[in-house]
């Protein structure tokens, strides 16, 4: 199981969310179109949504997309199950920046500084600890719910999707991205939405999501979104998430 409270995961996510081009990919070659994933998610959500309303960044991690959404929404809530991620996001909200160490090779590290862009109205943002599978009704309704690379990291993804409609306003937008990397260490196999065989038929995650959402939502867009996570100086994860945009009926 991924330990989202560890130093290693915190550093990895800080660089993933806030790293500059030369910090994440300090080479003249490489998949530059996979950089700034959190920013691209926020921009896609804003493009489809009613501006100046409320947005929820579900599974916000260390909060870059949450901050970016504040450029277009009057109130943004970032929610994550990791207490350390939420504490870190709140530090960034308070101070605007945070120093951290990133592994280069073995025990060697490099110091970086995560910075919230100066043009973001941080007072519009609130970070809270919570469970995406058991959302509190007191959160209210949102004009946009962003679930960036979250659905395959939940213990009960079906339960989350079955309840998400109640947290969206009329004509509200649900934006999900995911590479659909199902792991039994995170999600029990009987809870996987896809990547399984049922009665000798291959079930893909998008098909399962469509089946769960189509009665309450209209699919507006489906596209591929690459992202790049640096693990150390010479090792990376290059992945392709599928992005789907849904509008509540």
């Amino acid at each position: 199981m991924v330990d989202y409270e560890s130093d290693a995961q915190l550093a990895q996510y800080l660089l993933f969310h806030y790293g500059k081009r030369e910090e994440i990919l300090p080479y003249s070659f490489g998949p530059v179109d996979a950089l700034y994933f959190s920013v691209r998610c926020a921009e896609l959500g804003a493009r489809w949504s009613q501006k100046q309303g409320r947005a929820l960044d579900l599974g916000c991690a260390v909060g870059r997309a949450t901050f970016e959404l504040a450029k277009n929404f009057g109130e943004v809530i970032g929610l994550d199950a990791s207490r350390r991620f939420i504490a870190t996001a709140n530090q960034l909200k308070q101070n605007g920046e945070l120093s951290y160490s990133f592994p280069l090779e073995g025990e060697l590290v490099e110091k970086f500084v995560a910075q919230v862009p100066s043009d973001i109205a941080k007072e519009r943002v609130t970070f809270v600890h919570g469970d995406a599978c058991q959302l509190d009704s007191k959160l209210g309704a949102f004009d946009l719910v962003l679930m960036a690379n979250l659905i395959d990291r939940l213990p009960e993804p079906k339960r989350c999707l079955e309840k998400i409609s109640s947290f969206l306003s009329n004509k509200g937008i649900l934006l999900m991205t995911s590479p659909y990397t199902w792991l039994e260490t995170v999600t029990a196999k009987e809870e996987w939405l896809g990547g399984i065989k049922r009665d000798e038929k291959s079930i893909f995650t998008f098909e399962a999501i469509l089946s769960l959402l189509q009665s309450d939502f209209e699919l507006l867009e489906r596209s591929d979104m690459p992202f790049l996570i640096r693990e150390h100086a010479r090792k990376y994860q290059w992945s392709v998430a599928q992005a789907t945009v849904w509008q509540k009926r």
Side-chain angles (χ1 to χ4, degrees), residues 136 141 177:
D136 190 335
T177 70

Side-chain angles (χ1 to χ4, degrees), residues 19 22 24 109 112 130 138 157 223:
E22 63 273 16
I24 302 174
V109 299
F112 290 137
K138 293 178 182 177
S223 59

Side-chain angles (χ1 to χ4, degrees), residues 54 56 77 136-142 145 164 166-169:
R54 303 182 74 225
L56 172 63
I77 294 177
D136 190 335
S137 60
K138 293 178 182 177
L139 286 170
F142 297 87
V145 173
I164 200 65
S166 62
F167 291 91
L168 278 157
S169 57

Side-chain angles (χ1 to χ4, degrees), residues 26-41:
Y27 305 104
S28 60
F29 51 87
V32 294
D33 58 343
L35 298 174
Y36 313 122
F37 182 74
S38 297
V39 177
R40 288 183 283 126
C41 285

Side-chain angles (χ1 to χ4, degrees), residues 10-31:
L10 180 62
Q12 194 174 100
Y13 271 79
L14 282 168
L15 187 65
F16 180 40
H17 279 222
Y18 297 96
K20 301 178 179 66
R21 159 71 167 87
E22 63 273 16
E23 294 171 346
I24 302 174
L25 193 60
Y27 305 104
S28 60
F29 51 87

Side-chain angles (χ1 to χ4, degrees), residues 4-207:
Y4 291 110
E5 309 296 330
S6 69
D7 291 345
Q9 283 295 306
L10 180 62
Q12 194 174 100
Y13 271 79
L14 282 168
L15 187 65
F16 180 40
H17 279 222
Y18 297 96
K20 301 178 179 66
R21 159 71 167 87
E22 63 273 16
E23 294 171 346
I24 302 174
L25 193 60
Y27 305 104
S28 60
F29 51 87
V32 294
D33 58 343
L35 298 174
Y36 313 122
F37 182 74
S38 297
V39 177
R40 288 183 283 126
C41 285
E43 290 174 346
L44 179 59
R47 179 159 60 84
W48 281 105
S49 302
Q50 181 69 37
K51 306 297 190 297
Q52 301 308 317
R54 303 182 74 225
L56 172 63
D57 184 5
L58 201 52
C60 66
V62 291
R64 180 60 185 274
T66 318
F67 286 122
E68 292 294 327
L69 287 169
K71 292 179 178 179
N72 290 287
F73 292 87
E75 180 187 3
V76 188
I77 294 177
L79 184 147
D80 201 274
S82 168
R83 293 186 182 278
R84 192 166 188 197
F85 280 179
I86 290 299
T88 299
N90 274 317
Q91 283 182 274
L92 284 161
K93 178 185 175 181
Q94 180 177 343
N95 302 321
E97 63 180 37
L98 179 68
S99 298
Y100 64 101
S101 298
F102 189 81
L104 291 179
E105 180 180 329
E107 64 182 13
L108 305 179
V109 299
E110 184 174 356
K111 292 286 187 179
F112 290 137
V113 178
Q115 293 179 310
V116 180
S118 59
D119 60 340
I120 288 174
K122 297 193 295 295
E123 67 275 7
R124 297 181 179 181
V125 171
T126 302
F127 291 105
V128 297
H129 174 260
D131 183 347
C133 297
Q134 300 185 59
L135 293 176
D136 190 335
S137 60
K138 293 178 182 177
L139 286 170
F142 297 87
D143 301 289
L144 170 71
V145 173
L146 169 63
M147 295 171 57
N149 295 357
L150 175 68
I151 198 67
D152 57 353
R153 289 297 174 266
L154 295 176
E156 298 177 285
K158 181 180 178 182
R159 180 178 182 180
C160 177
L161 291 183
E162 286 175 339
K163 293 182 177 296
I164 200 65
S165 176
S166 62
F167 291 91
L168 278 157
S169 57
N170 185 39
K171 301 297 182 182
I173 296 295
L174 171 63
L175 166 58
M176 288 191 289
T177 70
S178 176
Y180 306 143
T181 307
W182 297 104
L183 299 171
E184 289 187 84
T185 53
V186 177
T187 311
K189 196 167 186 180
E190 58 266 24
E191 294 287 345
W192 290 9
L193 297 182
I196 54 177
K197 285 248 185 205
R198 187 174 296 141
D199 299 326
E200 299 304 313
K201 180 183 178 183
S202 298
I203 306 297
F204 291 91
T205 305
F206 172 74
E207 297 169 351

